[in-house]
Amino acid sequence: ATGLVAASKHLLYTDGSTMFDVLDDAGNITANGTLDVAGAVSLDGGAFVFNNTGADKNFTIKSDDDVVNFFSDGGEDRIGIGTGTPSTKLDVVGGIKATGNVEFDGGSFIFNNSSGDLDYRIESNGDANNFVSDGGTDRIGIGVLAPAAKLEINQNSASGAVPCLLLDQDDEDKPFI
């Protein structure tokens, strides 16, 4: 039997000898259907495990601008950020910013696999164009933003004290200036 207590917002259950207050006394709750929550859900302590049985279940988080902000594909074992159809273990559609170290441990790193007109630039402490790959001209620049040859090296030293190229022959190293 259920009972309501005057001026209470709690649903009470009693079997005739024990009173149970659902809001105060609920432990584990099992929903055998869809659980819709209109208000906020707060988890304080414990762990949240989605798909504990390892079934083919997907998980989607939407945002105000993205129909799919985060997507976990249970059948393909893939994660999509900005996409609901991830094509690899982690598929990000949009920009990525990493503050801190990024490690690649095994495999290969391919930039511009689609062969687009995309540039690649590495800055260093004293050189904004330490390494430049110009995708539109198929040229590489070291110390130069717009290389004029297949490989252009600018040592960026007015005194000429920094060699432009050093070839290591293991027996005797000689700089080319």
Side-chain angles (χ1 to χ4, degrees), residues 23-166:
L23 289 179
D24 287 337
D25 300 328
N28 296 332
I29 298 174
T30 301
N32 293 322
T34 301
L35 175 63
D36 289 321
V37 178
V41 175
S42 176
L43 301 173
D44 189 15
F48 177 79
V49 178
F50 176 81
N51 196 12
N52 196 40
T53 61
D56 182 359
K57 303 289 182 187
N58 297 338
F59 178 77
T60 304
I61 298 176
K62 299 179 179 191
S63 69
D64 62 345
D65 293 326
D66 289 336
V67 174
V68 178
N69 188 264
F70 178 91
F71 179 76
S72 174
D73 188 327
E76 296 294 328
D77 302 326
R78 296 176 178 171
I79 299 291
I81 297 176
T83 179
T85 55
S87 60
T88 186
K89 191 70 167 175
L90 176 62
D91 190 345
V92 178
V93 175
I96 298 173
K97 180 180 181 179
T99 302
N101 296 336
V102 176
E103 294 184 23
F104 294 96
D105 190 9
S108 60
F109 176 79
I110 299 171
F111 175 79
N112 196 13
N113 196 38
S114 61
S115 299
D117 182 2
L118 302 174
D119 296 340
Y120 177 77
R121 185 169 60 91
I122 297 174
E123 293 186 16
S124 67
N125 186 37
D127 191 347
N129 303 304
N130 195 10
F131 179 89
V132 174
S133 173
D134 187 327
T137 62
D138 299 328
R139 296 177 180 169
I140 301 292
I142 297 176
V144 60
L145 178 60
K150 187 69 173 177
L151 173 63
E152 181 180 348
I153 301 172
N154 180 357
Q155 46 83 326
N156 293 326
S157 173
S159 69
V162 178
C164 287
L165 181 64
L166 178 65

